[in-house]
Amino acid sequence: MRALTVLQTGPLCTVQDRGRPGFASIGVGRSGAADRLSHDAANRLVGNDSDAATLEVTFGGLKLRAEFDALVAVTGAQVNCRVDGTEQGLFSTITLRAGQTLELSAPTWGLRSYVAVRGGIDVPAVLGSRSTDTMSGIGPAPLSPGDVLNVGNDSAEWPAADFVPPPSLHETLHVKFGPRDGWFTENASKTLVQQLWTVTPDTDRVGIRLDGSEPLARAIDGELSSEGMVLGSLQVPPSGKPVLFLADHPVTGGYPVIAVVTAADVSVAAQLTPGTRVRFRAIG
Amino acid sequence: MRIHPAGEDALLVELDGLDETMAYYRSLTADPPAAVVDLVPAARTVLVMFDGPKQPVLDWIAATEPAVTTTDDRSDTVTISVVYDGEDLDEVARLTGLSTADVVAAHVDQTWTVAFGGFAPGFGYLVGTDARLHVPRRTSPRTSVPAGSVGLAGEFSGIYPRSSPGGWQLIGRTDARLWDLDRDPPALLRPGTIVRFEQA
């Protein structure tokens, strides 16, 4: 049987791919892997199509048994990755023989790991995607012990390399001002990029609430009509403390967005643990 | 029309009001360039998400005029059967100065259009043609509103596709399937859909 059996999951483990774009007008966001760069890297390492589904493991704790000889890769957060107790390298291809167990510890850096298996995780697609969207409730349920995950045929060419460099461990996120920076004081725009912000424990696949000593002050006090929101938006509620929108963010929102984090740095943001200090840097 | 950047791959087009935004969204959806991934209409904005260079998208936005249409042009009409026994029906009557029978008549007699979605999969913000039913949201939202509840808030009417918290004034309920993943498209109400209510 080309399958993996889930023995243990940790706090949250979901199936993710590159999401379901194109349905925002009927209230369904894109969703998909929170750290898309690590998801893509895991698929590359096992020679999968880039839209093959992987497992997104939040804060480690996953234990899987292979029911066939599988090729897997683990990317993302710094975890201890073992096959039947023997430590394995991250960001590299790993052979998992039938009956062997893959186990991820809690991370020492980062939040989310991606486990790709050659062929991809084969769960039914909903609106063209196998992603679990925690906001709309669409897609497969989060994994539970005892789940048997079939492995599909979403593999392409064999990879050119069996190791890719892990992402840099930087904590500077690049932002582009807008669409509603005009709703804030000039000083607020400076504060956004000069102040160190702290990742609060209020963080999930929807977004990350940030804290800073000086809140972002509004120049316009009126109420904004709800409008479409993009991935990486820094939405600022009346507290003046921004929320950084991740993969499962709402499709519309009613608070002004002062700036948007670049797509590549949204992947970095998805790895930030509570207590981490981050800095924003503006791009043109 | 004002165009605001929304990150690297999106533009937020801001218009003067709801009618203009609906007309502009209709024009944009008529023939979008292949690079456009998604269009998200809202009350005063259309978010244009794209994949590729920005300039051709900007040119297309600048070249697009809001569509002037009549209801007759739009064949996408849905009739929804409602049992008008909502918990806030008396309150809506008090707020509008109408009798409950007149509230029901006003809801049934006007033509509604889905202006935009959001809030939950399959939820549509419906705008009508009769301002008498404009009422504020409840001062205290309910923690759970049953699926199929028909409500009013501000200039909008809407139907809860699934049970969720909510602050709309509830006037009735329907068995219509607002969201069905086995249907293509899964949402019964999409931006631009014309809705007629009938009393069950």
Side-chain angles (χ1 to χ4, degrees), chain A residues 21-28 126-127 135-138 176-180 225-230 251-252 260-264 283, chain B residues 4-8 10 12 14 25 37-45 47 54 117-122 162 179 181 186-187 190-191:
Chain A
F23 299 98
S25 66
I26 55 170
V28 178
V126 179
L127 300 177
M135 170 65 79
S136 69
I138 288 173
K176 189 176 173 68
F177 277 107
R180 296 297 183 185
S225 293
S226 284
E227 59 192 26
M229 293 279 143
V230 297
V251 297
T252 58
V260 178
V261 175
T262 61
I283 58 165
Chain B
H4 307 278
E8 304 155 292
L12 186 72
E14 185 175 18
Y25 174 73
V37 177
D38 214 345
L39 293 167
V40 189
R44 266 158 194 76
T45 55
L47 179 69
K54 185 194 286 181
F119 174 60
R162 58 177 183 180
W179 181 256
L181 279 168
R190 301 177 294 281

Side-chain angles (χ1 to χ4, degrees), chain A residues 168-200:
Chain A
S168 60
L169 305 183
H170 69 97
E171 272 125 18
T172 299
L173 306 178
H174 293 84
V175 297
K176 189 176 173 68
F177 277 107
R180 296 297 183 185
D181 48 327
W183 280 55
F184 295 86
T185 63
E186 236 173 83
N187 194 47
S189 295
K190 285 190 196 136
T191 302
L192 178 70
V193 294
Q194 286 173 355
Q195 177 167 269
L196 273 175
W197 295 89
T198 304
V199 174
T200 69

Side-chain angles (χ1 to χ4, degrees), chain B residues 23 26 66-74:
Chain B
R26 271 200 298 279
V68 179
T69 53
T70 64
T71 307
D72 299 343
D73 295 340
R74 293 172 276 160

Side-chain angles (χ1 to χ4, degrees), chain A residues 3-4 66-72 94-98 117-118 151:
Chain A
L4 304 170
E67 307 301 347
F68 72 120
D69 290 349
L71 191 71
V72 301
I94 300 167
T95 304
L96 199 56
R97 299 276 174 211
V117 54
R118 182 163 168 87
V151 174

